[in-house]
Amino acid sequence: MAAYLQWRRFVFFDRETVREPPGPDGASAKPFALPPGIAVCDSGRGSLVFGDMEGQIWFLPRSLQLSSFQAYKLRVTHLYQLKQHSILVSIGEDEEGINPLVKVWNLEKRDGGNPLCTRIFPAIPGNKPTVVSCLTVHENLNFMAIGFADGSVVLTKGDITRDRHSKTQILHEGSYPVTGLAFRQSGKATHLFVVTTENIQSYMLSVKDYPHLELDTHGCGLRCSSLSDPSQDLQFIVAGNECVYLYQPDERGPCFAFEGQKLIVHWYRGYLIIVSKDRKTSPKSEFAGNEAQNSDKQVLNIYDLCNKFIAYSSIFDDIVDVLAEWGSLYVLTRDGKIHVLQEKDTQTKLEMLFRKNLFEMAINLAKSHHLDSDGLSEIFRQYGDHLYNKGNHDGAIQQYIRTIGKLEPSYVIRKFLDAQRIHNLTAYLQMLHLQSLANADHTTLLLNCYTKLKDSSKLEEFIKTSESEVHFDVETAIKVLRQAGYYSHAVYLAEKHEHHEWYLKIQLEDIKNYQEALHYIGRLPFEQAESNMKRYGGNEGPGMLEGKKANSEEFIPVFANNSRELKAFLEHMTEVQADSPQGVYDTLLELRLQNWAHEQDEQIKEKLHNEALTLLKSGRFKTVFDKALVLCQMHSFKDGVLYLYEQGKLFQQIMHYHMQNEQYKKVIEVCELYGDQEACLWEQALGYFARKEENCKEYIAAVLKHIENKNLMPPLLVVQTLAHNSTATLSVIKDYLVNKLQKQSRQIEQDELRIQKYREETTRIRLEIEELKASPKIFQKTKCSICTSALELPSVHFLCGHSFHQHCFESYSESDSECPTCMPENRKVMDMIRAQEQKRDLHDQFQHQLKCSNDGFSVVADYFGRGVFNKLTLITDLPSGKTATTIEAGLQRELLIHTKRST
């Protein structure tokens, strides 16, 4: 049981009197007054609702514009406004006597300007006249309960807004007046709490036969019970004169000792509101006076049950009820005034607590108001600052620890850097690491704290307890421990977290334990062992693991300044691993060429020569051709250079190499070997021998013979080339020139015969054309040239001498102006003429052929013969000065006769 006398009191609400809107003149408004005779009230759906003794129901919206309608003829006794529906349930009297009527109003629909009444039914249970004491309605509109002064409870189940869809029955009968009812919905379970003046019961409405359970053997007065919100687990609150009890549907919950005669109880946003009689006087109170003066006063207390404090307390005169709407509390007094209680915002309440240094209470309040983590962190910081300034460093560091993740750690660290507070700083840094929010600097600082305190046990605990999760930067910790001389701890961390490089560095450089380092490398997985062997390869360690192969190229730097061992290593790798990296072969070639170049012993030099050439011919240098060629050229390795030239098809380089060394036979051999692939080699060879002053007749003759056979150069160019050699006589090219002249003579004879043939053909064609122009053409064909049947009229005749049936001509001809028989040959001729016309405009093509041809004169003659340099006119062109009719009459393809005769 919690005694409220120990609870602190605060003013977390602002009290004001509701006033009428100011007039046009801006004068101060007078207090708002309710109509007289208000008997009952409720709130919800944006209005305060009142019922009076004249049978009227009043609505007061936020604009304070009162409206009303006549609900009953006599009086209104009870109101219940649903919060989730615009449904108002009222109980009142239309006639004298005990005959209460229940009316259900739909506030969204109108009937003659008033809310629509959807249902009316009498409230008396079993036709037994008794007074209604309390009313409650379930928000799902499926349950309504009415309590009576004789102890009865009537339950309406179904749609409460319609008579047809609901059923009314007596749920409870007893000897004591019913003072309070409340529905509780939790999941699918629906309960009804019933409290009388002498007991409290709970009914299970979601189960058939409505089983019930008696929760307590004492009750409360009218309006002294309420249902809490989910913050208090929807408990039923019953306020007696000595205590306030909280109930679950199946048991009694906590109890609070709030003394005083309770008049009204409400629940509002996590607060318990109690109105009780004030029978105490206080000299500090502005309402102080004699007992008689204070006897009618009432005290309104607002309790925060979660945080155990009184949020507001004030004295009023004769309170009618307390309503909640528009985010505020409205207190109605018997004099018709309305007082509003506006809750202060969370920050203002926290500042009030801060001024009183009530940080723990501020923290609890912030949590109950669901303040975010940033807001809570700020409270922890202020609380920590308060404790720090008071000298309570242990308490302060506990609050600062609660800010981790929100407050910048440097804010706390700077406060505790004093050596006397190193223990507090260590605790903060430890928690920072446990939450995995520490950076490398924080790890460094924490380890320095341990080493400064010489607390090896704490140090070992820090680095060894993080078995499942590491809360610090391991590499930073290794560095700090190594610098501080804690080598064993550093080695432990490096080995545990597989920082192999640091482990070996400390073992080799600090502890000087070489043997352990070598054994450690031997225990590593292949990849780590490989990388560390590259780094510390100067030492002799255990062999590599079987089944895997390292990249041998990466081990070359290990043999720096030891070419003999490097050569042995590379040769071994090429023997045991044919697919060794290219770098292995490149380095081995370079080593063999170096050894060959510096060797003085001829026998050994010959052996090294063969080894280098064999390596070149192994086919391992195709992708690095240029690199191998540079190496051979640097070391003047002639056979290697020539081999690579040959592999790279650099035939001209091979020949130039022999030319530089004046190896004439080699030059001829190169031409014979590669001349078919690169014809210009023979021309270059002729020019080379032509420039030599010594006697080269034998070689020139051989070259000329091949040039003649392949027709590689024009004779004039050959003569001009040999003119550079003063020793070459006419006898050198006599045979060449005679053969050339004989071939050209034979070619001239053939060309003259072809010309004579073309001239005769041309003369014949011209005569035929003249005859067609000047003489009549007699058509004597008796058969169709297509079907070979006898000609019949109508028929078609062409100047070419072919005749056709008209129907054959129309079936086979593609054009009315062309002979179907001659058309294929004519088209070939026209295509040749068009091709010549197109070729004569191809200037770039002509220039290209002229430049690339060995015989430029032949190219020019060919284009000249094709009429490239003459104006060519197709027979389809219109000559100047002639009409289309004249030309059309002279065309061979023109249709001469197209006669139709009737038989």
Side-chain angles (χ1 to χ4, degrees), residues 563-620:
S563 59
R564 186 184 65 178
E565 298 297 332
L566 175 60
K567 183 173 179 289
F569 169 72
L570 296 176
E571 289 177 344
H572 172 75
M573 291 308 304
T574 58
E575 292 175 2
V576 300
Q577 187 178 350
D579 59 343
S580 294
Q582 186 61 42
V584 172
Y585 289 92
D586 294 344
T587 308
L588 180 58
L589 176 62
E590 185 175 1
L591 287 174
R592 288 185 176 181
L593 291 176
Q594 287 179 355
N595 293 340
W596 172 82
H598 294 90
E599 183 58 51
Q600 300 298 326
D601 190 315
E602 290 299 328
Q603 292 183 351
I604 299 177
K605 192 177 185 71
E606 180 65 21
K607 178 183 177 183
L608 294 175
H609 173 279
N610 295 334
E611 290 179 352
L613 195 59
T614 300
L615 183 59
L616 275 177
K617 293 181 179 180
S618 63
R620 298 294 306 186

Side-chain angles (χ1 to χ4, degrees), residues 443-464 474-495 502-503 505-507 510-511:
T443 302
T444 301
L445 185 58
L446 177 59
L447 293 175
N448 284 329
C449 289
Y450 286 142
T451 55
K452 188 173 183 180
L453 292 171
K454 299 187 182 302
D455 193 343
S456 298
S457 60
K458 284 285 186 181
L459 179 59
E460 290 187 7
E461 181 183 356
F462 175 72
I463 65 175
K464 293 183 179 181
V474 176
E475 189 168 3
T476 299
I478 293 173
K479 291 179 182 178
V480 174
L481 292 172
R482 183 189 183 198
Q483 186 177 5
Y486 285 78
Y487 300 128
S488 60
H489 296 79
V491 165
Y492 169 81
L493 278 180
E495 183 175 9
W502 280 108
Y503 180 91
K505 187 183 290 291
I506 296 172
Q507 289 283 18
D510 300 324
I511 305 178

Side-chain angles (χ1 to χ4, degrees), residues 539-829:
N539 300 282
E540 294 183 2
M544 291 296 175
L545 300 180
E546 296 182 359
K548 294 187 178 181
K549 295 181 180 180
N551 186 344
S552 52
E553 183 179 2
E554 296 176 358
F555 286 84
I556 292 177
V558 174
F559 299 93
N561 302 321
N562 194 344
S563 59
R564 186 184 65 178
E565 298 297 332
L566 175 60
K567 183 173 179 289
F569 169 72
L570 296 176
E571 289 177 344
H572 172 75
M573 291 308 304
T574 58
E575 292 175 2
V576 300
Q577 187 178 350
D579 59 343
S580 294
Q582 186 61 42
V584 172
Y585 289 92
D586 294 344
T587 308
L588 180 58
L589 176 62
E590 185 175 1
L591 287 174
R592 288 185 176 181
L593 291 176
Q594 287 179 355
N595 293 340
W596 172 82
H598 294 90
E599 183 58 51
Q600 300 298 326
D601 190 315
E602 290 299 328
Q603 292 183 351
I604 299 177
K605 192 177 185 71
E606 180 65 21
K607 178 183 177 183
L608 294 175
H609 173 279
N610 295 334
E611 290 179 352
L613 195 59
T614 300
L615 183 59
L616 275 177
K617 293 181 179 180
S618 63
R620 298 294 306 186
F621 299 93
K622 293 180 179 179
T623 58
V624 289
F625 173 83
D626 294 339
K627 185 174 183 180
L629 183 59
V630 169
L631 288 174
C632 292
Q633 290 174 341
M634 286 174 56
H635 296 88
S636 301
F637 190 59
K638 180 185 69 172
D639 291 346
V641 171
L642 292 175
Y643 172 77
L644 292 173
Y645 279 162
E646 181 181 357
Q647 294 300 306
K649 299 186 182 302
L650 303 176
F651 305 129
Q652 294 189 39
Q653 282 80 351
I654 297 175
M655 191 168 68
H656 290 163
Y657 184 88
H658 293 310
M659 287 178 179
Q660 291 175 356
N661 293 279
E662 297 186 349
Q663 296 175 331
Y664 301 152
K665 291 184 179 181
K666 290 290 185 181
V667 171
I668 298 298
E669 289 178 2
V670 171
C671 292
E672 291 175 346
L673 287 173
Y674 312 118
D676 292 339
Q677 301 179 50
E678 202 163 341
C680 62
L681 293 177
W682 291 102
E683 301 174 18
Q684 294 176 10
L686 182 63
Y688 169 72
F689 290 122
R691 288 188 294 271
K692 293 295 181 180
E693 293 300 327
E694 59 266 24
N695 190 354
C696 298
K697 294 180 181 180
E698 178 185 353
Y699 305 109
I700 292 176
V703 172
L704 285 176
K705 182 179 180 180
H706 192 85
I707 290 176
E708 178 187 357
N709 293 336
K710 296 295 183 179
N711 195 21
L712 298 178
M713 295 176 64
L716 183 59
L717 184 58
V718 173
V719 174
Q720 291 176 346
T721 303
L722 291 175
H724 295 289
N725 191 329
S726 59
T727 61
T729 60
L730 185 59
S731 61
V732 176
I733 60 172
K734 175 183 176 183
D735 294 339
Y736 169 76
L737 293 176
V738 170
N739 291 335
K740 271 292 181 183
L741 290 174
Q742 291 175 349
K743 287 181 180 180
Q744 290 181 358
S745 296
R746 289 193 296 268
Q747 184 65 38
I748 290 172
E749 291 176 359
Q750 293 175 1
D751 292 342
E752 287 177 348
L753 291 174
R754 193 176 292 110
I755 290 171
Q756 183 63 31
K757 179 182 177 182
Y758 287 158
R759 282 176 179 173
E760 292 175 356
E761 182 68 20
T762 302
T763 300
R764 185 187 63 78
I765 293 173
R766 284 177 178 173
L767 291 174
E768 185 177 347
I769 292 173
E770 289 298 327
E771 183 181 355
L772 289 173
K773 288 180 178 180
S775 303
K777 180 71 173 177
I778 299 174
F779 301 98
Q780 297 179 338
K781 287 279 187 179
T782 60
K783 293 183 179 182
C784 175
S785 298
I786 293 179
C787 68
T788 67
S789 299
L791 278 175
E792 296 177 357
L793 295 179
S795 59
V796 180
H797 305 275
F798 283 89
L799 292 175
C800 59
H802 296 105
S803 299
F804 308 92
H805 291 116
Q806 182 179 348
H807 62 83
C808 290
F809 174 75
E810 291 175 350
S811 299
Y812 288 93
S813 66
E814 296 181 6
S815 173
D816 291 343
S817 59
E818 290 189 89
C819 172
T821 304
C822 299
M823 184 178 62
E825 188 65 27
N826 290 342
R827 286 192 176 179
K828 290 182 181 179
V829 175

Side-chain angles (χ1 to χ4, degrees), residues 297 299 341:
K297 300 289 184 181
V299 179
L341 299 180

Side-chain angles (χ1 to χ4, degrees), residues 131-151:
V131 177
V132 174
S133 58
C134 53
L135 165 70
T136 187
V137 182
H138 199 295
E139 286 292 335
N140 64 12
L141 298 178
N142 284 328
F143 292 104
M144 177 169 61
I146 304 173
F148 296 89
D150 68 348

